[in-house]
Amino acid sequence: AIVGFLGAWCVAKVFLLDFLSLGLALSSGVLFGGVLPGAFLSATGATLGSSLSFALSRGQLKQRVDGALAKQPVARGLAKVVEEDGFRTVFVLRLAPILPLPLASYPYIYGTSNVSYAPFAAGTFLGSLKPYLLDAYLGVFSKQLIDGDALDTSKDAILLFGLGVLVLVGVFASELAAESWEKVQAEVAAEKETRGAEAEEGATGSTDEAAGPLSSTRAWLAARLPDETRGEAAEVWAALGGFADFHYPLAAAAALEERRRRSEEEEEAMPGAD
């Protein structure tokens, strides 16, 4: 039963089935005779499944994961943040996964960074204990209510006290997770600014290299445009630069050919020409 349970966790994590993860966590206490063993096995299974996802993102699925991250600036920001403080980021965001990303996608994202496996696995396991203790308790308590079993007051009081402590830990973790989220947002903003600067630089380069009146005209206008309109102007100049780069060589070649043809006609019309 334990092997099948751990295998189900691996399937849930690798295939991003968060609903299956929730079902396993809620049923763990009922299946394995208590909240503590159920939560421990859930954390173990989640860590094993997350480890597989982590390894796949660095191996067979690397190109696919990289392609998915190319469309997700938040995921790219998280990958950069976890490189700076691996264990803390993994641990805190597992305690309080507040990012707008599927929980099961976190190991794939971490795998694209240079964080080592040890802090990733430790952060995942320890961060999983709190939510899975809560889930296991909810599962056991719900079963007792459905079955009409008498509640063990002393035992439940100890569990409730422990769960209350975990809730307080979760509140503190949420504050730390908010800090990580701010770092992710800062990385996203920095990446956006860098790409904008590269696009403007590329637009400047293309228009400066374009022959004709565009290069001198752009320099004249750029010195007179207000700062808030320069971004839009850069896009316009990029389009003009592309147009010029495509059409000017063709027009120049046609003009040179026309000049050569006229020179030949003039030479033929000169007196004394053969």
Side-chain angles (χ1 to χ4, degrees):
I2 294 178
V3 174
F5 184 77
L6 297 178
W9 267 110
C10 291
V11 171
K13 290 298 182 181
V14 170
F15 292 99
L16 308 179
L17 303 177
D18 284 337
F19 68 91
L20 178 57
S21 299
L22 179 60
L24 292 169
L26 289 172
S27 63
S28 62
V30 176
L31 292 174
F32 299 105
V35 173
L36 294 179
F40 177 81
L41 286 173
S42 286
T44 301
T47 302
L48 290 174
S50 298
S51 298
L52 286 176
S53 301
F54 185 86
L56 288 172
S57 68
R58 294 185 171 184
Q60 291 88 337
L61 298 181
K62 177 175 174 51
Q63 292 184 351
R64 187 169 182 177
V65 174
D66 289 343
L69 260 65
K71 305 174 184 178
Q72 293 286 342
V74 173
R76 294 195 301 273
L78 176 58
K80 292 179 181 178
V81 169
V82 78
E83 291 179 352
E84 300 173 1
D85 195 355
F87 172 79
R88 179 181 181 277
T89 300
V90 175
F91 175 68
V92 168
L93 290 180
R94 184 60 196 88
L95 281 173
I98 63 173
L99 272 62
L101 296 167
L103 179 59
S105 68
Y106 284 35
Y108 286 104
I109 297 170
Y110 296 146
T112 63
S113 70
N114 61 8
V115 65
S116 60
Y117 174 72
F120 161 77
T124 299
F125 179 80
L126 295 176
S128 297
L129 288 174
K130 188 269 294 184
Y132 293 149
L133 280 168
L134 290 172
D135 291 339
Y137 177 78
L138 288 175
V140 171
F141 184 72
S142 299
K143 184 177 184 301
Q144 289 177 338
L145 290 180
I146 293 172
D147 294 343
D149 295 340
L151 301 178
D152 188 337
T153 305
S154 59
K155 186 176 180 180
D156 286 343
I158 295 174
L159 283 175
L160 286 174
F161 174 78
L163 292 174
V165 173
L166 291 176
V167 170
L168 294 177
V169 171
V171 172
F172 178 68
S174 296
E175 296 180 359
L176 296 178
E179 295 178 6
S180 297
W181 173 227
E182 290 177 358
K183 291 181 180 180
V184 171
Q185 289 178 309
E187 290 290 346
V188 172
E191 179 183 355
K192 185 177 180 180
E193 183 177 352
T194 301
R195 291 192 174 189
E198 291 176 352
E200 184 173 356
E201 182 179 352
T204 302
S206 64
T207 53
D208 286 344
E209 293 173 0
L214 283 180
S215 57
S216 59
T217 303
R218 183 195 181 283
W220 183 84
L221 285 175
R224 291 162 177 79
L225 286 174
D227 293 339
E228 58 270 15
T229 61
R230 289 186 180 179
E232 297 180 3
E235 297 180 1
V236 174
W237 281 111
L240 289 174
F243 180 86
D245 289 342
F246 179 77
H247 289 283
Y248 183 79
L250 300 177
L256 291 174
E257 178 63 24
E258 179 65 17
R259 179 180 296 181
R260 185 188 63 79
R261 185 183 63 79
R262 289 184 179 180
S263 297
E264 291 178 353
E265 290 178 352
E266 291 176 358
E267 290 178 0
E268 293 176 356
M270 289 178 60
D274 294 340

